[in-house]
Amino acid sequence: MMREENLDCIFCKIANGEIPSKLIGENEHAIAFLDLYPKAPVHILVVPKIHSENILLLDNSSILTGLFELIREVAATSTDGQFKLQFNTGEREGQSVFHTHAHVLSQQSK
Ligand code: AMP
Ligand code: ZN
């Protein structure tokens, strides 16, 4: 389901400024911020501003384009060009926050 905001969702609260984060970048459709518990020397989350539970339920092409533009920008500016891109989808596969997000992980910052 896609909605403007889910009141119980931590990434909705980060996107609307209710909860602080270390902002890395932003565009019309997405926001990028540091993961609070980094699993690599560079660990950035890139998150659509509008709530959807996971990437399969995000079916708006403008938002998908905005999300991927920000992923590419963050990967280009915050890593040395070598990185992993991961969308954990579903509890069994490690998703713990049910608001679509991409992990950008790298051993080396720029
Ligand atoms: P996932 O396990 O794929 O759902 O990823 C959720 C990620 O969100 C984890 O890597 C957490 O460390 C991260 N996280 C949880 N709460 C916050 C927060 N308030 N600010 C930044 N990152 C968070
Ligand atoms: Zn949300």
Side-chain angles (χ1 to χ4, degrees):
M1 187 203 300
M2 280 185 61
R3 283 188 257 162
E4 283 290 319
E5 188 177 353
N6 178 328
L7 291 178
D8 295 327
C9 173
I10 189 163
F11 287 174
C12 282
K13 288 181 175 159
I14 287 175
N16 71 23
E18 260 182 78
I19 290 180
S21 68
K22 295 246 167 80
L23 189 69
I24 299 296
E26 186 176 8
N27 65 22
E28 182 186 353
H29 293 297
I31 181 170
F33 53 91
L34 292 183
D35 196 294
L36 203 52
Y37 307 102
K39 284 140 202 107
V42 179
H43 190 170
I44 295 165
L45 299 174
V46 190
V47 174
K49 289 179 175 175
I50 287 179
H51 185 84
S52 58
E53 194 169 302
N54 64 50
I55 189 73
L56 290 180
L57 297 172
L58 205 183
D59 59 1
N60 178 298
S61 55
S62 302
I63 297 176
L64 283 166
T65 299
L67 177 66
F68 275 87
E69 282 174 353
L70 189 56
I71 288 170
R72 292 183 73 253
E73 184 183 318
V74 160
T77 56
S78 296
T79 82
D80 67 348
Q82 300 192 52
F83 61 93
K84 293 190 181 88
L85 179 60
Q86 189 167 326
F87 287 87
N88 296 331
T89 304
E91 200 171 354
R92 190 198 64 220
E93 302 296 336
Q95 187 175 7
S96 63
V97 176
F98 291 87
H99 178 131
T100 306
H101 56 279
H103 298 259
V104 176
L105 297 146
S106 179
Q107 296 303 313
Q108 185 64 60
S109 60
K110 195 159 191 178

